[in-house]
Amino acid sequence: MKINALHIERIGKQIEVSVNRRMKGFPDAVWLSDRFKEKRLAISPSTIARLYGIVTSSSKPYLSTLDTLARFLEYDNWENYVEDQSRYHFNANFFLTEDTHGFSQSVLDLALQLKRYDTVQTLLEKYTYFDHNPIHFATANLIGNYVKLYNYDEELLNLLAITKAGRSLFYECFVDENNENQSFSKALQKHYLPQVTNSQEVFFVYAYIVAQNGYAEVYEPLMIAKYQQAIKAIPTKKLHFHLLSRYLECEIHIAAQEQKLHRSMAMIIEAITEHTNLQNKNEWILARTIKALVHYGYKDRLFMNTQFNEAVNAVLMKKRKSKNSAALYIIQLYWLYSNGSEGLSYHPFHLAVDYLQGNSKERIAIESATARFYAKGSIKAVIEENLKLYCHNTNIKWILNLIAD
């Protein structure tokens, strides 16, 4: 069959969307080759590099290679893929998401660069990519980075709050966990909260702030009271898994601040493991509660709790192949230190930076603590010295507690 260069370009872009990663250099090609292997498909890094123009090539891919690319996207073969493309309008890639509704990520990027907020609003009103679409995640990172670049520009924050897409992309998906100078906490209260009426959205605001205060060791009774009022409006069994994880995290912070955590520890761990067993998206339940409990010095009790560690082990070993969750990064770090020398034979995965743009400070600390675990001799001492200084400066106490001997 005749091979159309446009279809080759299209499938390359669609694969980038599916894995949420741009192919920019040979390390990316190696990484993508491994993703094919996970689906029991064979394609070499060199072939991928030629496909994406990382290395120059004057020849078109073999049909067998195109069949492999098509199967990666769950088509039977290349012919089936081409037939499907002729039937449906193509939604382009991670970088240019033009569709029949008129939204374009590249145009949004340019409008934000120029601070043409009228154009930004028009594009957000045409936005249709919600839920777990990779384009949603990429667009959230794009907007979040501009918000930080512009030092939380009030006009931009308000524009994002008054549009459904803006709320979903920045306030609900990006979620700036770095929260420099409490900028995100303030934006949630000033811009986002007045625009939402859904009880779960209201709960999210107060749960985020209570947890942020907890890690900063700030006790704010009024905010806790608002959080408790918000949770009363929602049966916990109806909470989205992200909000359920925030609920359990906040209950730990509040119990600790009220000097009740030691007495309620067993009940809290039982609730965590119960919810972990019931939820499919359970990694965040473990990750957020690990952070909170270790923050308050309960590392040793967690290490000795068989039920909790069985849940951690089950989640990590089941889901680590996807390698696409910031929560698994936290769980992996906990698992390594809880297993001690037995964990040295484990090969840790590394997340693309894109997954942690809203939490870059913690990413650096997690990766350094992971490196420390495997290090020996003088380099381990250097890593430890720098890591302790960094965690003190950025107020990431839970990692300091986790690595402490």
Side-chain angles (χ1 to χ4, degrees):
M1 64 177 295
K2 184 177 180 180
I3 297 174
N4 189 319
L6 178 60
H7 286 140
I8 297 173
E9 181 183 357
R10 284 180 175 180
I11 199 167
K13 291 176 179 179
Q14 289 172 329
I15 288 172
E16 283 182 321
V17 171
S18 73
V19 298
N20 206 18
R21 179 162 173 164
R22 184 185 177 189
M23 298 297 108
K24 298 184 291 184
F26 201 80
D28 298 303
V30 173
W31 180 89
L32 184 56
S33 177
D34 288 340
R35 304 292 78 72
F36 274 74
K37 288 178 184 175
E38 290 172 358
K39 292 191 175 186
R40 297 184 179 181
L41 297 169
I43 186 169
S44 70
S46 297
T47 300
I48 293 171
R50 288 194 297 272
L51 175 71
Y52 285 98
I54 296 167
V55 296
T56 57
S57 174
S58 58
S59 61
K60 291 182 180 180
Y62 293 116
L63 181 58
S64 59
T65 299
L66 297 175
D67 284 339
T68 300
L69 297 176
R71 290 182 185 118
F72 187 81
L73 295 180
E74 310 300 329
Y75 291 93
D76 293 336
N77 50 40
W78 178 249
E79 185 176 0
N80 180 229
Y81 169 81
V82 171
E83 180 183 351
D84 188 68
Q85 297 308 294
S86 64
R87 187 182 303 129
Y88 299 107
H89 177 76
F90 172 68
N91 291 332
N93 82 335
F94 193 80
F95 306 98
L96 178 60
T97 55
E98 193 70 64
D99 69 3
T100 53
H101 298 283
F103 174 78
S104 169
Q105 196 176 80
S106 61
V107 176
L108 176 64
D109 193 354
L110 180 61
L112 286 165
Q113 182 69 37
L114 296 171
K115 292 191 176 182
R116 292 295 304 271
Y117 292 156
D118 54 341
T119 303
V120 172
Q121 182 168 354
T122 298
L123 289 165
L124 290 178
E125 288 170 351
K126 296 178 179 294
Y127 186 83
T128 58
Y129 301 101
F130 290 96
D131 301 323
H132 300 293
N133 192 303
I135 294 170
H136 188 71
F137 180 79
T139 308
N141 277 339
L142 174 70
I143 291 173
N145 286 329
Y146 272 108
V147 170
K148 293 195 294 183
L149 177 66
Y150 296 150
N151 296 315
Y152 275 73
D153 178 9
E154 291 287 321
E155 184 180 357
L156 180 55
L157 290 172
N158 184 63
L159 185 157
L160 294 171
I162 63 175
T163 57
K164 177 184 176 182
R167 291 193 298 273
S168 177
L169 287 162
F170 176 66
Y171 291 100
E172 298 164 12
C173 182
F174 182 77
V175 187
D176 188 358
E177 297 285 357
N178 289 334
N179 201 28
E180 291 275 3
N181 302 314
Q182 296 188 321
S183 297
F184 193 71
S185 293
K186 293 172 183 175
L188 283 173
Q189 294 178 82
K190 182 177 180 179
H191 298 285
Y192 177 79
L193 194 57
Q195 300 295 331
V196 299
T197 56
N198 181 286
S199 57
Q200 298 210 24
E201 294 166 341
V202 172
F203 168 75
F204 160 67
V205 173
Y206 295 120
Y208 173 88
I209 295 171
V210 166
Q212 285 284 329
N213 286 345
Y215 292 118
E217 300 188 344
V218 173
Y219 182 60
E220 197 173 349
L222 178 60
M223 198 56 63
I224 290 174
K226 289 181 177 180
Y227 157 84
Q228 291 172 332
Q229 183 180 4
I231 193 59
K232 285 180 181 178
I234 320 168
T236 53
K237 64 182 180 180
K238 291 188 177 181
L239 284 173
H240 180 272
F241 70 89
H242 266 305
L243 295 183
L244 179 60
S245 68
R246 290 189 182 276
Y247 162 72
L248 293 167
E249 179 183 35
C250 286
E251 291 301 300
I252 292 168
H253 283 296
I254 294 169
Q257 290 170 340
E258 296 178 350
Q259 307 297 314
K260 298 176 182 177
L261 184 53
H262 186 77
R263 296 195 303 272
S264 57
M265 182 72 174
M267 184 174 64
I268 287 173
I269 290 180
E270 184 178 347
I272 293 167
T273 52
E274 179 183 349
H275 285 298
T276 299
N277 292 333
L278 291 174
Q279 293 280 331
N280 180 40
K281 300 280 189 176
N282 47 18
E283 55 265 37
W284 276 112
I285 293 172
L286 286 174
R288 288 199 169 102
T289 54
I290 284 170
K291 285 174 54 177
L293 289 168
V294 175
H295 174 87
Y296 290 108
Y298 286 87
K299 176 186 75 173
D300 291 338
R301 285 193 63 177
L302 283 183
F303 281 6
M304 293 186 293
N305 191 291
T306 303
Q307 184 183 17
F308 184 84
N309 290 304
E310 285 177 350
V312 167
N313 188 71
V315 169
L316 180 62
M317 296 307 154
K318 181 180 179 182
K319 298 194 174 187
R320 72 179 300 271
K321 288 184 178 180
S322 63
K323 300 181 184 178
N324 63 355
S325 169
L328 289 177
Y329 233 20
I330 296 167
I331 294 170
Q332 175 178 255
L333 183 65
Y334 169 85
W335 185 91
L336 288 172
Y337 280 87
S338 66
N339 280 274
S341 59
E342 293 181 9
L344 289 171
S345 60
Y346 170 88
H347 297 287
F349 64 84
H350 173 249
L351 278 180
V353 173
D354 289 348
Y355 283 104
L356 293 152
Q357 290 194 29
N359 200 2
S360 57
K361 290 181 179 179
E362 197 165 71
R363 174 187 64 80
I364 293 170
I366 289 171
E367 291 175 352
S368 297
T370 303
R372 174 197 177 274
F373 180 81
Y374 290 95
K376 296 179 181 179
S378 59
I379 188 63
K380 183 169 185 175
V382 170
I383 294 171
E384 187 164 316
E385 180 184 357
N386 290 334
L387 179 58
K388 287 181 178 179
L389 178 61
Y390 180 80
C391 288
H392 278 300
N393 291 343
T394 54
N395 202 31
I396 307 177
K397 182 180 174 181
W398 73 269
I399 287 183
L400 285 176
N401 289 344
L402 183 65
I403 69 173
D405 295 328

